[in-house]
Amino acid sequence: MDFNLSLQIEDMNVLSEAVGIWYRHNHATPTDQSTQLLCSAAVDLYNQGHRTREELVTLLITRFDSPDSLQVNAPSSTSH
């Protein structure tokens, strides 16, 4: 099989740049949890056909309008 590795690397760069721009736009410090959430959302958007950095950034900023919007409610210690 002949894989187009350069296209895959280019795609990853677009996704990575979109997430980085989201952080800069929101003056936010990356954390493992927030990066995982943003990267997952970016991949989902990419798979839906949003292939440019500009599209991805716009949609990420719309979906996650602040660092607070990335907060995931952790279960309390009393929940089972």
Side-chain angles (χ1 to χ4, degrees):
M1 275 188 198
D2 183 26
F3 292 103
N4 186 348
L5 189 56
S6 64
L7 179 61
Q8 293 174 359
I9 291 170
E10 184 178 314
D11 295 340
M12 291 303 296
N13 287 339
V14 167
L15 293 166
S16 176
E17 289 171 4
V19 170
I21 292 168
W22 184 93
Y23 278 115
R24 287 191 297 280
H25 173 81
N26 286 289
H27 308 285
T29 301
T31 66
D32 288 341
Q33 181 180 358
S34 62
T35 300
Q36 184 176 8
L37 181 60
L38 286 168
C39 287
S40 178
V43 168
D44 288 345
L45 292 166
Y46 188 87
N47 287 335
Q48 292 171 18
H50 305 285
R51 301 296 169 97
T52 68
R53 182 181 64 199
E54 292 76 17
E55 283 181 297
L56 292 168
V57 169
T58 299
L59 292 167
L60 287 175
I61 289 171
T62 301
R63 183 176 288 180
F64 305 104
D65 60 352
S66 72
D68 291 337
S69 65
L70 296 173
Q71 297 301 315
V72 176
N73 294 331
S76 70
S77 60
T78 59
S79 66
H80 299 284

